[in-house]
Amino acid sequence: MPDQTAATAYVTTPIYYVNDRPHIGHAYTTTLCDVWARFMRLSGRDVFFLTGTDEHGVKVEKSARDRGTTPQALADENAAEFRRVLGLFGLSNDDFIRTTEPRHERQVQRLLERLEAAGAVHLGEFEGWYDEGQEEYHTETRAKELDYRSPVSGRPLVRAKESNYYFRLSAFQERLERHFDENPEFVRPAARRNEVLGRLREGLQDVPITRTNFSWGIPMPGAEGHVVYVWIDALFNYATALGLGEEDPTSSERAKFWPADFHVIGKEILWFHAVIWPALLMALELPLPKCIYAHAFWIAEGQKMSKSLGNFVDLEAIGRYHDRYGLDAWRWFMATRGPLGASDADFREDQFADAYATDLVNTVGNGASRVTAMAERYFEGSVPRPEDPHRIVGDRDWNASIAEALREAESAAGRFAIDRMAEAGLSLFRSLDGFIHRTEPFRLAKDPDRREDLARILHQSLEVLFAASALLWPLMPDSMDRLREALGCAKVTESGPLADQVRMDAARDFDGVRKIALFPRIETA
Ligand code: ME8
């Protein structure tokens, strides 16, 4: 009986600004989410994976003016570009939300009305230090800490004054602190959590949620001349995509996905996600996300990547890697060598080449080709299930190792430890290499009396490839589907339980195994 009430899983990326061209940062966060989403689907979870574009705000209005076009035309063009680009990365998102879509605009207005009705909004005068690039105000204390410069662009903060609608963020101070205390995993990694919590304890001020100095935004309901501040508009995407701002949110089929398991973001936008967003949800009496996962940054030769320095690894550069090493190798490098934790990661071609050679050519590719080649050579591709398939051979209890790798991967997925998920699959290939080295099937093949042992070793090795191909499939779907094909097995299917994807049916004969070369060796200069 298929499980009719599969547990749900919801993962989101930030929605990306349309006044920028897609680059490695966008590809990175979205790829991490894709790996997680695929793994969860593989585990039988009912998954919703959301990404999209953030299209309002003064920056878009300005860029459009500079280019002699309308903000909507600019947004349409660049949103299409983001969509096209995400397609090049083999991403499996379930929706792509744009903040200029009527479904989003209408719900944001309704959510703001609900906030007002809940008494969480007031009209007030505001003066502060404004970061024009980030569209973000800073308090005096914070501005001083920042030396009155934008932490993102380095440009001076400007003194700005506005009469605006405010969200009573200060009213949520205690509840937020309590939430952090009671949910130590609310923000990951831990270093980021401590940072936010430190800043939170300094005290909260109310934040403006409307603007009057430009018009490219969602009109604030009942307030002529006010548009919704782009950050509030943007954060709500996580809820509007599921229909939570509709008149009757329970009628939305997607409501079951709420709240998110992971809002995955870069560290620069953590404050909005870990403090303002949960406070808005508290005011709306909606359950909070389980975890905000804030990764660090890709940097280039020790330097921050920025538009002004022009050193972003851009699409052209990414395209060269795809052409040379293949999409799966790119995904592998993103997932295993990127800034997933608290420290930034330098993007370097020699490290890419090194990871490719070590993990993919020498470990995954080599293991797959050795075993499939022996199955082809010694058994013409048909390795029947031996009498006692899981009898321990050459000190290796594969049954236990595979179960352990599976547990590792599942536990890593629960912490968004994408690199550890990769390691769980890779470790099976490493052990396989040692197993072949110790049991020497190529030597046994010379002895007709050892035919049964040879079959058992190869059958077990093929089972390991079967298991490892499922565990690595979320990272490298294409290559692992090819490996499954070479094993003469069905492709990995996206419906659980995971144990069935990883474990061979105990009665299985391998039939039609063909030698496979997965990752060609690539000479580097
Ligand atoms: O901030 N390394 O959009 P954005 C790794 N629209 N990841 C990076 C990166 C780098 N060097 N640079 C960018 C916005 N990123 C808002 C978000 S959400 C409600 C609104 C990734 O186009 C990282 O995920 O500037 C970062 O948070 C995101 O791109 C910022 O994208």
Side-chain angles (χ1 to χ4, degrees):
M1 262 299 275
D3 183 1
Q4 300 293 329
T5 54
T8 58
Y10 181 29
V11 64
T12 68
T13 74
I15 47 172
Y16 304 115
Y17 285 132
V18 281
N19 58 332
D20 205 354
R21 310 218 59 86
H23 56 63
I24 186 173
H26 309 128
Y28 177 63
T29 314
T30 320
T31 301
L32 293 178
C33 292
D34 185 65
V35 171
W36 192 86
R38 284 174 188 264
F39 185 86
M40 284 296 151
R41 289 193 204 108
L42 204 58
S43 313
R45 298 270 286 271
D46 187 0
V47 174
F48 200 78
F49 165 21
L50 180 68
T51 187
T53 39
D54 189 354
E55 307 189 1
H56 290 125
V58 70
K59 277 195 281 184
V60 177
E61 194 176 84
K62 261 192 195 158
S63 311
R65 202 180 310 124
D66 293 347
R67 292 171 50 180
T69 181
T70 63
Q72 187 66 60
L74 178 72
D76 286 348
E77 191 185 312
N78 287 356
E81 177 64 1
F82 266 97
R83 250 196 170 128
R84 183 188 72 81
V85 166
L86 297 186
L88 302 178
F89 290 90
L91 302 169
S92 64
N93 51 299
D94 296 287
D95 195 1
F96 186 100
I97 189 162
R98 301 182 51 190
T99 55
T100 56
E101 287 175 281
R103 61 162 169 165
H104 175 76
E105 299 193 344
R106 135 182 112 231
Q107 291 185 68
V108 167
Q109 291 188 324
R110 206 171 280 125
L111 289 165
L112 280 162
E113 281 164 359
R114 282 186 204 155
L115 279 178
E116 280 196 291
V121 174
H122 66 92
L123 191 63
E125 181 87 339
F126 183 80
E127 191 175 355
W129 293 101
Y130 190 56
D131 178 341
E132 289 180 308
Q134 288 300 101
E135 309 205 16
E136 179 178 10
Y137 271 100
H138 294 290
T139 59
E140 182 62 42
T141 333
R142 177 80 181 142
K144 198 167 171 193
E145 268 169 33
L146 295 170
D147 201 18
Y148 302 96
R149 291 189 174 275
S150 162
V152 175
S153 68
R155 283 199 294 270
L157 302 175
V158 297
R159 202 68 196 150
K161 191 172 175 179
E162 287 181 48
S163 165
N164 281 317
Y165 286 91
Y166 282 78
F167 170 56
R168 294 189 196 278
L169 182 61
S170 59
F172 295 90
Q173 172 94 31
E174 255 174 57
R175 277 180 70 186
L176 282 168
E177 284 189 36
R178 200 171 339 119
H179 189 77
F180 271 77
D181 285 341
E182 288 169 2
N183 300 275
E185 260 94 69
F186 182 57
V187 172
R188 286 178 187 270
R192 292 275 105 85
R193 170 185 188 266
N194 296 338
E195 251 169 49
V196 182
L197 190 54
R199 215 178 129 189
L200 172 61
R201 286 186 174 137
E202 285 170 16
L204 292 174
Q205 290 179 352
D206 294 348
V207 288
I209 55 169
T210 61
R211 286 284 189 274
T212 50
N213 57 345
F214 67 95
S215 60
W216 183 235
I218 301 177
M220 175 75 177
E224 185 85 19
H226 286 260
V227 297
V228 178
Y229 174 38
V230 63
W231 261 105
I232 302 299
D233 168 354
L235 286 166
F236 277 135
N237 93 86
Y238 303 129
T240 61
L242 302 187
L244 265 70
E246 297 293 13
E247 206 141 9
D248 175 15
T250 52
S251 69
S252 160
E253 257 184 48
R254 293 175 169 184
K256 66 179 176 192
F257 293 106
W258 189 267
D261 293 76
F262 290 104
H263 289 309
V264 185
I265 57 170
K267 61 182 177 181
E268 86 288 14
I269 55 177
L270 182 56
W271 183 253
F272 289 106
H273 284 82
V275 174
I276 298 179
W277 178 229
L280 286 168
L281 294 173
M282 285 171 176
L284 291 166
E285 296 182 16
L286 286 170
L288 305 197
K290 290 171 211 155
C291 178
I292 312 294
Y293 191 96
H295 61 69
F297 276 160
W298 280 110
I299 53 174
E301 287 161 29
Q303 264 195 323
K304 196 180 163 79
M305 289 187 195
S306 77
K307 258 208 278 193
S308 47
L309 288 170
N311 61 348
F312 260 114
V313 175
D314 59 12
L315 276 186
E316 287 68 41
I318 296 173
R320 284 195 292 278
Y321 282 89
H322 285 190
D323 292 345
R324 200 166 154 80
Y325 298 92
L327 171 59
D328 279 351
W330 170 266
R331 289 172 62 94
W332 181 259
F333 186 67
M334 291 291 105
T336 61
R337 306 297 199 278
L340 182 65
S343 342
D344 292 343
D346 216 349
F347 187 90
R348 293 185 14 203
E349 170 139 32
D350 57 337
Q351 286 183 358
F352 192 108
D354 202 50
Y356 178 77
T358 315
D359 297 348
L360 301 188
V361 179
N362 297 339
T363 309
V364 177
N366 186 47
S369 84
R370 275 178 104 184
V371 172
T372 52
M374 286 191 283
E376 205 180 80
R377 173 152 2 122
Y378 306 138
F379 291 92
E380 280 150 11
S382 297
V383 185
R385 173 179 176 270
E387 267 302 285
D388 176 9
H390 296 128
R391 199 176 86 205
I392 296 175
V393 181
D395 75 17
R396 175 49 78 168
D397 181 354
W398 280 117
N399 231 3
S401 306
I402 290 172
E404 175 61 24
L406 177 59
R407 257 196 313 278
E408 273 286 311
E410 282 177 321
S411 129
R415 314 187 299 275
F416 206 76
I418 304 293
D419 52 347
R420 305 305 302 168
M421 286 164 63
E423 177 56 30
L426 190 66
S427 72
L428 285 179
F429 277 98
R430 277 206 211 93
S431 313
L432 179 61
D433 189 58
F435 177 68
I436 292 169
H437 185 74
R438 287 193 307 278
T439 55
E440 302 186 309
F442 37 85
R443 198 181 296 271
L444 298 187
K446 296 184 181 130
D447 182 350
D449 293 342
R450 305 289 303 275
R451 192 83 185 146
E452 210 176 294
D453 285 339
L454 178 63
R456 180 169 293 108
I457 290 169
L458 286 184
H459 195 276
Q460 290 191 359
S461 303
L462 289 164
E463 276 202 60
V464 176
L465 292 182
F466 183 91
S469 61
L471 289 179
L472 293 187
W473 183 86
L475 293 119
M476 303 188 286
D478 202 48
S479 309
M480 294 304 108
D481 276 343
R482 284 174 50 219
L483 176 52
R484 278 286 174 102
E485 226 169 35
L487 298 176
C489 296
K491 286 185 181 177
V492 175
T493 55
E494 291 190 76
S495 63
L498 184 59
D500 296 349
Q501 312 273 344
V502 168
R503 278 298 171 60
M504 290 291 303
D505 168 358
R508 187 178 170 97
D509 299 332
F510 278 97
D511 204 12
V513 179
R514 281 176 300 102
K515 181 182 159 121
I516 186 169
L518 277 176
F519 299 102
R521 199 166 288 285
I522 289 168
E523 294 311 322
T524 46

